[in-house]
Amino acid sequence: VQLQASGGGLVQAGGSLRLSCAASERAYYAKAWFRQAPGKDREFVAAINWNGKSTNYADSVKGRFTITRDNAKSTVTLQMNSLKPEDTAVYYCASGTGRGPFLVSSQYEYWGQGTQVTVSS
């Protein structure tokens, strides 16, 4: 499975961005978004189970970010609202081989190339 992330960019604090991740093949497995800021470890952001009916979020993004999926189009989307400078990072989409949702990176076998999100203050 190949994953292609898009939608990153530069936005002012309080603004919104929408990230998308397209999979090369239809797979009804858990999907997630992780992020990595400069000098920091990769961290969990949001996850969604195979049919989109169960989600999990990091406390730092809960209430601001929403993860959804469209299995017919093999896409996963992360809607990010009320962005803060501390959300600045490279965002990675990931696909697992289980139903999920999973919160740890080791549960995900396939990773996209990452898309940069920069939030200015």
Side-chain angles (χ1 to χ4, degrees):
V1 178
Q2 293 183 334
L3 304 174
Q4 180 70 42
S6 61
L10 173 64
V11 65
Q12 289 187 332
S16 299
L17 281 175
R18 186 179 181 89
L19 304 184
S20 293
C21 179
S24 60
E25 58 187 68
R26 190 172 298 179
Y28 297 95
Y29 295 130
K31 299 289 193 296
W33 289 92
F34 289 77
R35 67 186 181 187
Q36 186 167 20
K40 295 187 177 182
D41 293 333
R42 186 173 298 186
E43 66 174 2
F44 167 77
V45 176
I48 191 166
N49 77 327
W50 69 280
N51 64 2
K53 293 186 178 182
S54 180
T55 57
N56 269 302
Y57 297 92
D59 288 343
S60 59
V61 307
K62 203 169 292 184
R64 300 187 298 121
F65 291 12
T66 302
I67 186 171
T68 56
R69 67 187 297 160
D70 185 336
N71 284 343
K73 297 180 179 180
S74 299
T75 58
V76 179
T77 299
L78 185 69
Q79 177 66 42
M80 305 186 295
N81 299 326
S82 302
L83 283 161
K84 305 176 181 179
E86 50 264 43
D87 294 318
T88 295
V90 176
Y91 283 70
Y92 298 90
C93 60
S95 179
T97 55
R99 297 301 179 98
F102 307 119
L103 280 66
V104 294
S105 59
S106 59
Q107 296 279 13
Y108 295 93
E109 184 173 354
Y110 304 101
W111 294 81
Q113 85 288 2
T115 184
Q116 176 70 47
V117 171
T118 303
V119 184
S120 63
S121 57

